[in-house]
Amino acid sequence: MKRVGVSRESNLVSKNLQLMSDVASAGGFYIRQYTRENQAFVRVFDLSNQISEGERVYLDQHFPEEKVLRFLDHFLDTDLEEVIEGDVPYPAMMTGVVIRNSHHVIQSVLVLLGISGEKASELEKAQAGDGLHFPEGLRLTNKKAMESNLRLVLHIRDYHDEIRKENQDIQGRLEDIEEESTRNRRLLERNETMTSVLSLMESEGEFDQIANRILEISSRHLKLTESALLRLDGTKNSVEMIAEFAESEGCKLRFVSRERLGYPFFNGRPYTISSDSEIPEEFQQYMDLCDFQAVVFYPVRINEELRMYLQFGTSREHRWEQEELKFLNDIRKIFQTILSKRITRNSLTSSYVTLDAILQHTGCGVAVVDVENHQVLFTNETIRQAIPDKTDQDALERIAFLPTEEIGNSTQFHAIEGDLWFELTMTEITWVNGNKARLVTVYDITEMKEYQARIERQAYTDPMTGLRNRRGCEEDIAKELRKAEKLPDNQTAGASIYIDLDDFKNINDSLGHETGDLLLQRVAEALVRAAGLEANVYRLGGDEFGILVPAEHSVTPEAIAQRVIDVFQNPWNLNEKQYYCTCSMGIAYYPRDGRDLSSLFRHADIALHQAKRQGKSKIVYYIDDDAKIIARRLDMEKAMRQAVEDGCKEFEVYYQPLVDVSKPEHPVCGAEALVRWNSKELGFVQPLDFVPLAEYLGLIVPIGKHVLYEACRRCRHWNDFGHPEYTVNVNLSLVQLIREDIVETVKGALDETGLNPENLTLEVTEGLAIHDVESVSNLLKKLKELGVKVALDDFGTGYSSLNCLKRLPLDVIKIDKSFIDNVGEDRYSDAFVKTVSKLAEVMHAEVVVEGVETKHQSDALKDMHIDMVQGYLYDKPITKEDFEEKYVK
């Protein structure tokens, strides 16, 4: 399927080249094509290859190759221009047209060459003066014709780009379909395998034979080279193998009964070791003995007592996927069920209770029906939660009783009322009462169905006001900054105006969000009129707007700002009533106040905050005249850029433990990852000093990515070595969230490190989350689709309404330290914590309290239904080495 798009594009290129050749012949000029290789151009095609030898010699004399290549270097210098005219003596003419790839990087350049024929006498004079032969049939053109044909060449190039993009979209959709087909095939295979294993649960054969068969089925499904069931002997000092599967006789373990100390994993904890894991020496020795590259160890408990271990290994390089681990964990549960049943073989009731316990916690829906008597014998909680609607349940029941010849061994079921899709597999079994029955396993495949039809498009328009949004604003300002690159530092070409409504929150809270939305729409219309036709108006989020005043605008930024202030002096007519609402403004000029997007935005925002501090209806222009602050900032900026270029090695990740106070003995359940900068030039820099600068410079993106990858890598190590329940929290800044690739960045970190997405929590601050609730909510939903959790940090310090909180897809609410300082002493603090806890319970979210420093604070929180705490009472942020020494070993 992939070759179709490539072939189509290749044919299109050939046709376009032929078309350009025809255009050149008709227009009286010549075309050459040069392809970019690294930082140089190489001539790869000459569309004027049908010309005579005399013409070729004449062109090479007027347009020597080295001169053309020097001309092409201008494109490398700017990397922005689309068309450049060459500096050649009259009557010669030379123009370059850029062809870019899908990443907007220069791929090749078409060079148009021409000889002006407007003044034949000058040509003849030039011919006689320099002794050059003027070949017969030489194509002549003129400047007007060259410009006309240049537009035609640009049109052909743009048409080629459109077709290329269309081919890429088609190819991407084909790859999505192929990937989805592979996922469905793997799911079906896994369902069939699990059905085969479940059918062995009621087998009456010898246990070692059943165990060997289960190991064989599960190992062949995952293409493992060896698996084994190991058991402690009666003394609990030695380990023996009671079942084994080996891919071949050569892979079979030379296993002998050995002391328990020879097995580093025999301590009751699960271990997941991939080929890329950091492996302690004692585990490495055992893996070398067994010739393992990757291995999983799962404890098997009987009546809560550790008795056995399941070992699944491969001699090939392998990284365990989450679906594989869920499958193997289900196999572990099945072993525990079989063993428990056999221990209580003489009690039918005990057998059923044990079977019910395992099936209730199996990762899929399970039902058992007596087809002959049309009776439902068993359904687990998973299937009842997955299909809550009674109509859908009845439809599923009808399918479960259909004859085998009509339904087969598997089918798909659409729960119409819930709009959900499920994969059903059936197998015949003997139930605990000895009667024949049908086992039905149910897997939710709704996400896969939806994935096939999902097409994401990045929007640049605010749906409420119709204005361009923040991303559109960034794109437009970037274009204006490129135009102003050559201007002196003290000159102004245009301005960026930040506008924030005064007391908009009061209107929203008192009149309702519908009235608040109506006001935002009226404000947008008024700003467009005040700015004029040539300026651009944006809704940046919430009640913030922006105006970009380009250099060529006929009205000055100062005049536009005053127009806006005048507009806000009048009342706003909302639902036939009049209300007053003023605004504050911050203005930054470019390139004087910023030559890049982040600095210009930052300075306009600083000016806006100064205006807000001065009172309502104020205009403030950005001024930066503090030389010491500038010097310190420049030093820190230089050091920070160098640190980022060196791979962010100076930025260390510290970990502050998260303590689960809802469980006995308050165990550690994970950690929050916190960045620290140990600069080789400036020493240890406080986060409050360098993090805002990193955000302002945009360097928080590579720093944040470094922290994210390192935190995921460490958490994966904790999970693999005895603490699968440990999670890690990572903070995301505004700069990271507004980037289009944030979802891909998080997915890349999970894929590269192999961390279970459920063990990663991404934290966003309250102020950030309510900046643009709709956009942030949509982005958080995309992140949660990866399987990660989302936490709202610093809750209580912002000014979000409960309605905003309700619209965010949150898993965790973190109460800010400021409310904990006086907890147990201040009635307001106590009431706030209790209210948030109750609210979180309704939202099905967890509550984390930050900044717990004293036992008095800890005691005061006992009856407030808090899930987790962190603070200096338990531990400060510490290095990864100290954290693992304290909490992992």
Side-chain angles (χ1 to χ4, degrees), residues 148-176:
S148 175
N149 285 283
L150 172 62
R151 288 192 293 271
L152 182 55
V153 170
L154 287 170
H155 178 74
I156 295 172
R157 180 205 64 175
D158 294 342
Y159 175 70
H160 167 73
D161 287 344
E162 292 176 2
I163 297 300
R164 174 177 52 77
K165 292 177 182 177
E166 179 184 344
N167 287 343
Q168 290 175 343
D169 291 341
I170 293 174
Q171 182 172 325
R173 288 195 289 271
L174 291 175
E175 291 174 352
D176 288 344

PDB file of all heavy atoms in Angstrom, residues 148-176:
ATOM      1  N   SER A 148       6.134  36.490 -15.940  1.00  0.00           N
ATOM      2  CA  SER A 148       4.897  35.759 -16.212  1.00  0.00           C
ATOM      3  C   SER A 148       5.117  34.257 -16.115  1.00  0.00           C
ATOM      4  O   SER A 148       4.326  33.529 -15.491  1.00  0.00           O
ATOM      5  CB  SER A 148       4.376  36.133 -17.599  1.00  0.00           C
ATOM      6  OG  SER A 148       3.240  35.354 -17.920  1.00  0.00           O
ATOM      7  N   ASN A 149       6.204  33.795 -16.723  1.00  0.00           N
ATOM      8  CA  ASN A 149       6.461  32.356 -16.691  1.00  0.00           C
ATOM      9  C   ASN A 149       6.919  31.898 -15.303  1.00  0.00           C
ATOM     10  O   ASN A 149       6.718  30.739 -14.929  1.00  0.00           O
ATOM     11  CB  ASN A 149       7.522  31.990 -17.730  1.00  0.00           C
ATOM     12  CG  ASN A 149       6.955  32.006 -19.148  1.00  0.00           C
ATOM     13  OD1 ASN A 149       6.259  31.098 -19.562  1.00  0.00           O
ATOM     14  ND2 ASN A 149       7.237  33.078 -19.905  1.00  0.00           N
ATOM     15  N   LEU A 150       7.541  32.805 -14.534  1.00  0.00           N
ATOM     16  CA  LEU A 150       7.906  32.470 -13.156  1.00  0.00           C
ATOM     17  C   LEU A 150       6.652  32.158 -12.345  1.00  0.00           C
ATOM     18  O   LEU A 150       6.627  31.200 -11.566  1.00  0.00           O
ATOM     19  CB  LEU A 150       8.668  33.638 -12.526  1.00  0.00           C
ATOM     20  CG  LEU A 150       8.957  33.507 -11.022  1.00  0.00           C
ATOM     21  CD1 LEU A 150       9.832  32.292 -10.745  1.00  0.00           C
ATOM     22  CD2 LEU A 150       9.629  34.782 -10.506  1.00  0.00           C
ATOM     23  N   ARG A 151       5.595  32.960 -12.556  1.00  0.00           N
ATOM     24  CA  ARG A 151       4.343  32.688 -11.843  1.00  0.00           C
ATOM     25  C   ARG A 151       3.771  31.335 -12.237  1.00  0.00           C
ATOM     26  O   ARG A 151       3.223  30.604 -11.397  1.00  0.00           O
ATOM     27  CB  ARG A 151       3.330  33.803 -12.125  1.00  0.00           C
ATOM     28  CG  ARG A 151       3.670  35.130 -11.429  1.00  0.00           C
ATOM     29  CD  ARG A 151       2.513  36.101 -11.491  1.00  0.00           C
ATOM     30  NE  ARG A 151       2.231  36.551 -12.852  1.00  0.00           N
ATOM     31  CZ  ARG A 151       2.793  37.602 -13.433  1.00  0.00           C
ATOM     32  NH1 ARG A 151       3.679  38.330 -12.768  1.00  0.00           N
ATOM     33  NH2 ARG A 151       2.483  37.944 -14.662  1.00  0.00           N
ATOM     34  N   LEU A 152       3.908  30.968 -13.507  1.00  0.00           N
ATOM     35  CA  LEU A 152       3.407  29.669 -13.955  1.00  0.00           C
ATOM     36  C   LEU A 152       4.214  28.533 -13.326  1.00  0.00           C
ATOM     37  O   LEU A 152       3.658  27.519 -12.880  1.00  0.00           O
ATOM     38  CB  LEU A 152       3.486  29.577 -15.487  1.00  0.00           C
ATOM     39  CG  LEU A 152       2.947  28.272 -16.115  1.00  0.00           C
ATOM     40  CD1 LEU A 152       1.515  28.028 -15.663  1.00  0.00           C
ATOM     41  CD2 LEU A 152       3.033  28.349 -17.633  1.00  0.00           C
ATOM     42  N   VAL A 153       5.542  28.705 -13.243  1.00  0.00           N
ATOM     43  CA  VAL A 153       6.384  27.686 -12.600  1.00  0.00           C
ATOM     44  C   VAL A 153       6.015  27.552 -11.124  1.00  0.00           C
ATOM     45  O   VAL A 153       5.945  26.439 -10.589  1.00  0.00           O
ATOM     46  CB  VAL A 153       7.876  28.051 -12.762  1.00  0.00           C
ATOM     47  CG1 VAL A 153       8.750  27.152 -11.898  1.00  0.00           C
ATOM     48  CG2 VAL A 153       8.295  27.933 -14.220  1.00  0.00           C
ATOM     49  N   LEU A 154       5.785  28.701 -10.446  1.00  0.00           N
ATOM     50  CA  LEU A 154       5.376  28.649  -9.041  1.00  0.00           C
ATOM     51  C   LEU A 154       4.040  27.929  -8.879  1.00  0.00           C
ATOM     52  O   LEU A 154       3.838  27.160  -7.933  1.00  0.00           O
ATOM     53  CB  LEU A 154       5.261  30.063  -8.471  1.00  0.00           C
ATOM     54  CG  LEU A 154       6.584  30.792  -8.206  1.00  0.00           C
ATOM     55  CD1 LEU A 154       6.329  32.262  -7.875  1.00  0.00           C
ATOM     56  CD2 LEU A 154       7.346  30.118  -7.081  1.00  0.00           C
ATOM     57  N   HIS A 155       3.134  28.151  -9.821  1.00  0.00           N
ATOM     58  CA  HIS A 155       1.838  27.467  -9.764  1.00  0.00           C
ATOM     59  C   HIS A 155       2.013  25.955  -9.910  1.00  0.00           C
ATOM     60  O   HIS A 155       1.398  25.178  -9.176  1.00  0.00           O
ATOM     61  CB  HIS A 155       0.927  28.009 -10.864  1.00  0.00           C
ATOM     62  CG  HIS A 155      -0.415  27.320 -10.920  1.00  0.00           C
ATOM     63  ND1 HIS A 155      -1.401  27.549  -9.995  1.00  0.00           N
ATOM     64  CD2 HIS A 155      -0.901  26.386 -11.791  1.00  0.00           C
ATOM     65  CE1 HIS A 155      -2.453  26.788 -10.290  1.00  0.00           C
ATOM     66  NE2 HIS A 155      -2.172  26.081 -11.359  1.00  0.00           N
ATOM     67  N   ILE A 156       2.864  25.548 -10.849  1.00  0.00           N
ATOM     68  CA  ILE A 156       3.110  24.106 -11.032  1.00  0.00           C
ATOM     69  C   ILE A 156       3.741  23.522  -9.776  1.00  0.00           C
ATOM     70  O   ILE A 156       3.392  22.430  -9.327  1.00  0.00           O
ATOM     71  CB  ILE A 156       4.014  23.882 -12.264  1.00  0.00           C
ATOM     72  CG1 ILE A 156       3.276  24.332 -13.544  1.00  0.00           C
ATOM     73  CG2 ILE A 156       4.431  22.419 -12.381  1.00  0.00           C
ATOM     74  CD1 ILE A 156       4.151  24.318 -14.776  1.00  0.00           C
ATOM     75  N   ARG A 157       4.710  24.264  -9.181  1.00  0.00           N
ATOM     76  CA  ARG A 157       5.345  23.776  -7.956  1.00  0.00           C
ATOM     77  C   ARG A 157       4.329  23.623  -6.831  1.00  0.00           C
ATOM     78  O   ARG A 157       4.301  22.610  -6.127  1.00  0.00           O
ATOM     79  CB  ARG A 157       6.444  24.742  -7.528  1.00  0.00           C
ATOM     80  CG  ARG A 157       7.178  24.315  -6.261  1.00  0.00           C
ATOM     81  CD  ARG A 157       7.792  25.476  -5.533  1.00  0.00           C
ATOM     82  NE  ARG A 157       6.765  26.401  -5.046  1.00  0.00           N
ATOM     83  CZ  ARG A 157       7.020  27.456  -4.288  1.00  0.00           C
ATOM     84  NH1 ARG A 157       8.263  27.725  -3.918  1.00  0.00           N
ATOM     85  NH2 ARG A 157       6.059  28.259  -3.885  1.00  0.00           N
ATOM     86  N   ASP A 158       3.448  24.644  -6.648  1.00  0.00           N
ATOM     87  CA  ASP A 158       2.460  24.579  -5.576  1.00  0.00           C
ATOM     88  C   ASP A 158       1.481  23.434  -5.802  1.00  0.00           C
ATOM     89  O   ASP A 158       1.048  22.765  -4.845  1.00  0.00           O
ATOM     90  CB  ASP A 158       1.699  25.908  -5.474  1.00  0.00           C
ATOM     91  CG  ASP A 158       2.606  27.042  -5.026  1.00  0.00           C
ATOM     92  OD1 ASP A 158       3.680  26.747  -4.482  1.00  0.00           O
ATOM     93  OD2 ASP A 158       2.237  28.210  -5.233  1.00  0.00           O
ATOM     94  N   TYR A 159       1.135  23.201  -7.078  1.00  0.00           N
ATOM     95  CA  TYR A 159       0.226  22.083  -7.363  1.00  0.00           C
ATOM     96  C   TYR A 159       0.893  20.757  -6.989  1.00  0.00           C
ATOM     97  O   TYR A 159       0.270  19.863  -6.420  1.00  0.00           O
ATOM     98  CB  TYR A 159      -0.144  22.091  -8.849  1.00  0.00           C
ATOM     99  CG  TYR A 159      -0.978  20.902  -9.271  1.00  0.00           C
ATOM    100  CD1 TYR A 159      -2.306  20.780  -8.845  1.00  0.00           C
ATOM    101  CD2 TYR A 159      -0.441  19.904 -10.070  1.00  0.00           C
ATOM    102  CE1 TYR A 159      -3.064  19.687  -9.223  1.00  0.00           C
ATOM    103  CE2 TYR A 159      -1.197  18.811 -10.452  1.00  0.00           C
ATOM    104  CZ  TYR A 159      -2.513  18.708 -10.027  1.00  0.00           C
ATOM    105  OH  TYR A 159      -3.250  17.614 -10.392  1.00  0.00           O
ATOM    106  N   HIS A 160       2.188  20.670  -7.298  1.00  0.00           N
ATOM    107  CA  HIS A 160       2.930  19.455  -6.917  1.00  0.00           C
ATOM    108  C   HIS A 160       2.937  19.275  -5.394  1.00  0.00           C
ATOM    109  O   HIS A 160       2.760  18.157  -4.891  1.00  0.00           O
ATOM    110  CB  HIS A 160       4.361  19.554  -7.439  1.00  0.00           C
ATOM    111  CG  HIS A 160       5.295  18.531  -6.858  1.00  0.00           C
ATOM    112  ND1 HIS A 160       5.255  17.207  -7.205  1.00  0.00           N
ATOM    113  CD2 HIS A 160       6.279  18.656  -5.935  1.00  0.00           C
ATOM    114  CE1 HIS A 160       6.164  16.545  -6.530  1.00  0.00           C
ATOM    115  NE2 HIS A 160       6.803  17.400  -5.750  1.00  0.00           N
ATOM    116  N   ASP A 161       3.108  20.374  -4.630  1.00  0.00           N
ATOM    117  CA  ASP A 161       3.103  20.291  -3.170  1.00  0.00           C
ATOM    118  C   ASP A 161       1.757  19.803  -2.654  1.00  0.00           C
ATOM    119  O   ASP A 161       1.690  18.993  -1.722  1.00  0.00           O
ATOM    120  CB  ASP A 161       3.418  21.664  -2.562  1.00  0.00           C
ATOM    121  CG  ASP A 161       4.888  22.043  -2.732  1.00  0.00           C
ATOM    122  OD1 ASP A 161       5.688  21.145  -3.039  1.00  0.00           O
ATOM    123  OD2 ASP A 161       5.211  23.228  -2.545  1.00  0.00           O
ATOM    124  N   GLU A 162       0.654  20.319  -3.265  1.00  0.00           N
ATOM    125  CA  GLU A 162      -0.667  19.880  -2.813  1.00  0.00           C
ATOM    126  C   GLU A 162      -0.863  18.393  -3.029  1.00  0.00           C
ATOM    127  O   GLU A 162      -1.380  17.686  -2.161  1.00  0.00           O
ATOM    128  CB  GLU A 162      -1.748  20.670  -3.544  1.00  0.00           C
ATOM    129  CG  GLU A 162      -1.789  22.159  -3.160  1.00  0.00           C
ATOM    130  CD  GLU A 162      -2.816  22.919  -3.970  1.00  0.00           C
ATOM    131  OE1 GLU A 162      -3.513  22.277  -4.786  1.00  0.00           O
ATOM    132  OE2 GLU A 162      -2.921  24.153  -3.807  1.00  0.00           O
ATOM    133  N   ILE A 163      -0.460  17.901  -4.213  1.00  0.00           N
ATOM    134  CA  ILE A 163      -0.613  16.466  -4.494  1.00  0.00           C
ATOM    135  C   ILE A 163       0.272  15.649  -3.556  1.00  0.00           C
ATOM    136  O   ILE A 163      -0.128  14.587  -3.071  1.00  0.00           O
ATOM    137  CB  ILE A 163      -0.268  16.169  -5.959  1.00  0.00           C
ATOM    138  CG1 ILE A 163      -1.252  16.909  -6.882  1.00  0.00           C
ATOM    139  CG2 ILE A 163      -0.334  14.672  -6.233  1.00  0.00           C
ATOM    140  CD1 ILE A 163      -2.703  16.515  -6.687  1.00  0.00           C
ATOM    141  N   ARG A 164       1.507  16.160  -3.278  1.00  0.00           N
ATOM    142  CA  ARG A 164       2.402  15.430  -2.380  1.00  0.00           C
ATOM    143  C   ARG A 164       1.782  15.332  -0.992  1.00  0.00           C
ATOM    144  O   ARG A 164       1.825  14.265  -0.358  1.00  0.00           O
ATOM    145  CB  ARG A 164       3.750  16.147  -2.288  1.00  0.00           C
ATOM    146  CG  ARG A 164       4.697  15.533  -1.262  1.00  0.00           C
ATOM    147  CD  ARG A 164       6.038  16.237  -1.255  1.00  0.00           C
ATOM    148  NE  ARG A 164       5.912  17.673  -1.119  1.00  0.00           N
ATOM    149  CZ  ARG A 164       5.637  18.282   0.038  1.00  0.00           C
ATOM    150  NH1 ARG A 164       5.466  17.586   1.127  1.00  0.00           N
ATOM    151  NH2 ARG A 164       5.551  19.606   0.082  1.00  0.00           N
ATOM    152  N   LYS A 165       1.206  16.440  -0.498  1.00  0.00           N
ATOM    153  CA  LYS A 165       0.564  16.401   0.822  1.00  0.00           C
ATOM    154  C   LYS A 165      -0.626  15.450   0.833  1.00  0.00           C
ATOM    155  O   LYS A 165      -0.863  14.728   1.789  1.00  0.00           O
ATOM    156  CB  LYS A 165       0.111  17.812   1.218  1.00  0.00           C
ATOM    157  CG  LYS A 165       1.265  18.772   1.479  1.00  0.00           C
ATOM    158  CD  LYS A 165       0.766  20.170   1.786  1.00  0.00           C
ATOM    159  CE  LYS A 165       1.933  21.132   2.004  1.00  0.00           C
ATOM    160  NZ  LYS A 165       1.461  22.515   2.235  1.00  0.00           N
ATOM    161  N   GLU A 166      -1.395  15.470  -0.268  1.00  0.00           N
ATOM    162  CA  GLU A 166      -2.536  14.542  -0.361  1.00  0.00           C
ATOM    163  C   GLU A 166      -2.048  13.100  -0.315  1.00  0.00           C
ATOM    164  O   GLU A 166      -2.646  12.255   0.359  1.00  0.00           O
ATOM    165  CB  GLU A 166      -3.300  14.805  -1.660  1.00  0.00           C
ATOM    166  CG  GLU A 166      -4.493  13.871  -1.858  1.00  0.00           C
ATOM    167  CD  GLU A 166      -5.173  14.092  -3.196  1.00  0.00           C
ATOM    168  OE1 GLU A 166      -4.921  15.144  -3.820  1.00  0.00           O
ATOM    169  OE2 GLU A 166      -5.941  13.208  -3.620  1.00  0.00           O
ATOM    170  N   ASN A 167      -0.944  12.811  -1.026  1.00  0.00           N
ATOM    171  CA  ASN A 167      -0.389  11.449  -1.000  1.00  0.00           C
ATOM    172  C   ASN A 167       0.052  11.058   0.402  1.00  0.00           C
ATOM    173  O   ASN A 167      -0.138   9.920   0.849  1.00  0.00           O
ATOM    174  CB  ASN A 167       0.799  11.351  -1.961  1.00  0.00           C
ATOM    175  CG  ASN A 167       0.363  11.362  -3.422  1.00  0.00           C
ATOM    176  OD1 ASN A 167      -0.802  11.122  -3.714  1.00  0.00           O
ATOM    177  ND2 ASN A 167       1.284  11.654  -4.321  1.00  0.00           N
ATOM    178  N   GLN A 168       0.677  12.025   1.118  1.00  0.00           N
ATOM    179  CA  GLN A 168       1.134  11.728   2.484  1.00  0.00           C
ATOM    180  C   GLN A 168      -0.051  11.436   3.399  1.00  0.00           C
ATOM    181  O   GLN A 168       0.017  10.543   4.233  1.00  0.00           O
ATOM    182  CB  GLN A 168       1.944  12.896   3.027  1.00  0.00           C
ATOM    183  CG  GLN A 168       3.301  13.070   2.344  1.00  0.00           C
ATOM    184  CD  GLN A 168       4.026  14.312   2.826  1.00  0.00           C
ATOM    185  OE1 GLN A 168       3.421  15.193   3.403  1.00  0.00           O
ATOM    186  NE2 GLN A 168       5.306  14.381   2.562  1.00  0.00           N
ATOM    187  N   ASP A 169      -1.163  12.219   3.241  1.00  0.00           N
ATOM    188  CA  ASP A 169      -2.354  11.966   4.057  1.00  0.00           C
ATOM    189  C   ASP A 169      -2.922  10.585   3.771  1.00  0.00           C
ATOM    190  O   ASP A 169      -3.293   9.841   4.690  1.00  0.00           O
ATOM    191  CB  ASP A 169      -3.419  13.038   3.784  1.00  0.00           C
ATOM    192  CG  ASP A 169      -3.003  14.403   4.304  1.00  0.00           C
ATOM    193  OD1 ASP A 169      -2.103  14.439   5.169  1.00  0.00           O
ATOM    194  OD2 ASP A 169      -3.558  15.407   3.854  1.00  0.00           O
ATOM    195  N   ILE A 170      -2.983  10.230   2.474  1.00  0.00           N
ATOM    196  CA  ILE A 170      -3.513   8.915   2.104  1.00  0.00           C
ATOM    197  C   ILE A 170      -2.628   7.819   2.668  1.00  0.00           C
ATOM    198  O   ILE A 170      -3.113   6.829   3.227  1.00  0.00           O
ATOM    199  CB  ILE A 170      -3.622   8.795   0.564  1.00  0.00           C
ATOM    200  CG1 ILE A 170      -4.691   9.774   0.033  1.00  0.00           C
ATOM    201  CG2 ILE A 170      -3.950   7.364   0.155  1.00  0.00           C
ATOM    202  CD1 ILE A 170      -4.759   9.839  -1.465  1.00  0.00           C
ATOM    203  N   GLN A 171      -1.306   8.012   2.529  1.00  0.00           N
ATOM    204  CA  GLN A 171      -0.390   6.994   3.038  1.00  0.00           C
ATOM    205  C   GLN A 171      -0.508   6.853   4.548  1.00  0.00           C
ATOM    206  O   GLN A 171      -0.482   5.744   5.094  1.00  0.00           O
ATOM    207  CB  GLN A 171       1.043   7.364   2.667  1.00  0.00           C
ATOM    208  CG  GLN A 171       2.091   6.337   3.106  1.00  0.00           C
ATOM    209  CD  GLN A 171       3.466   6.644   2.555  1.00  0.00           C
ATOM    210  OE1 GLN A 171       3.587   7.139   1.452  1.00  0.00           O
ATOM    211  NE2 GLN A 171       4.477   6.342   3.322  1.00  0.00           N
ATOM    212  N   GLY A 172      -0.683   8.002   5.253  1.00  0.00           N
ATOM    213  CA  GLY A 172      -0.831   7.943   6.703  1.00  0.00           C
ATOM    214  C   GLY A 172      -2.087   7.180   7.102  1.00  0.00           C
ATOM    215  O   GLY A 172      -2.074   6.387   8.033  1.00  0.00           O
ATOM    216  N   ARG A 173      -3.202   7.438   6.369  1.00  0.00           N
ATOM    217  CA  ARG A 173      -4.444   6.724   6.690  1.00  0.00           C
ATOM    218  C   ARG A 173      -4.307   5.231   6.408  1.00  0.00           C
ATOM    219  O   ARG A 173      -4.828   4.399   7.159  1.00  0.00           O
ATOM    220  CB  ARG A 173      -5.597   7.320   5.893  1.00  0.00           C
ATOM    221  CG  ARG A 173      -6.022   8.712   6.396  1.00  0.00           C
ATOM    222  CD  ARG A 173      -7.367   9.116   5.834  1.00  0.00           C
ATOM    223  NE  ARG A 173      -7.320   9.423   4.406  1.00  0.00           N
ATOM    224  CZ  ARG A 173      -7.051  10.631   3.917  1.00  0.00           C
ATOM    225  NH1 ARG A 173      -6.805  11.626   4.736  1.00  0.00           N
ATOM    226  NH2 ARG A 173      -7.033  10.832   2.616  1.00  0.00           N
ATOM    227  N   LEU A 174      -3.613   4.887   5.319  1.00  0.00           N
ATOM    228  CA  LEU A 174      -3.399   3.466   5.026  1.00  0.00           C
ATOM    229  C   LEU A 174      -2.575   2.803   6.118  1.00  0.00           C
ATOM    230  O   LEU A 174      -2.848   1.665   6.518  1.00  0.00           O
ATOM    231  CB  LEU A 174      -2.681   3.315   3.672  1.00  0.00           C
ATOM    232  CG  LEU A 174      -3.514   3.690   2.427  1.00  0.00           C
ATOM    233  CD1 LEU A 174      -2.656   3.604   1.177  1.00  0.00           C
ATOM    234  CD2 LEU A 174      -4.725   2.779   2.287  1.00  0.00           C
ATOM    235  N   GLU A 175      -1.557   3.531   6.621  1.00  0.00           N
ATOM    236  CA  GLU A 175      -0.740   2.965   7.701  1.00  0.00           C
ATOM    237  C   GLU A 175      -1.564   2.792   8.972  1.00  0.00           C
ATOM    238  O   GLU A 175      -1.406   1.801   9.703  1.00  0.00           O
ATOM    239  CB  GLU A 175       0.461   3.874   7.963  1.00  0.00           C
ATOM    240  CG  GLU A 175       1.478   3.869   6.819  1.00  0.00           C
ATOM    241  CD  GLU A 175       2.587   4.891   7.046  1.00  0.00           C
ATOM    242  OE1 GLU A 175       2.470   5.685   7.998  1.00  0.00           O
ATOM    243  OE2 GLU A 175       3.547   4.888   6.257  1.00  0.00           O
ATOM    244  N   ASP A 176      -2.490   3.761   9.248  1.00  0.00           N
ATOM    245  CA  ASP A 176      -3.350   3.628  10.423  1.00  0.00           C
ATOM    246  C   ASP A 176      -4.242   2.395  10.316  1.00  0.00           C
ATOM    247  O   ASP A 176      -4.436   1.649  11.278  1.00  0.00           O
ATOM    248  CB  ASP A 176      -4.220   4.883  10.588  1.00  0.00           C
ATOM    249  CG  ASP A 176      -3.408   6.083  11.052  1.00  0.00           C
ATOM    250  OD1 ASP A 176      -2.271   5.866  11.520  1.00  0.00           O
ATOM    251  OD2 ASP A 176      -3.895   7.209  10.926  1.00  0.00           O
TER     252      ASP A 176
END
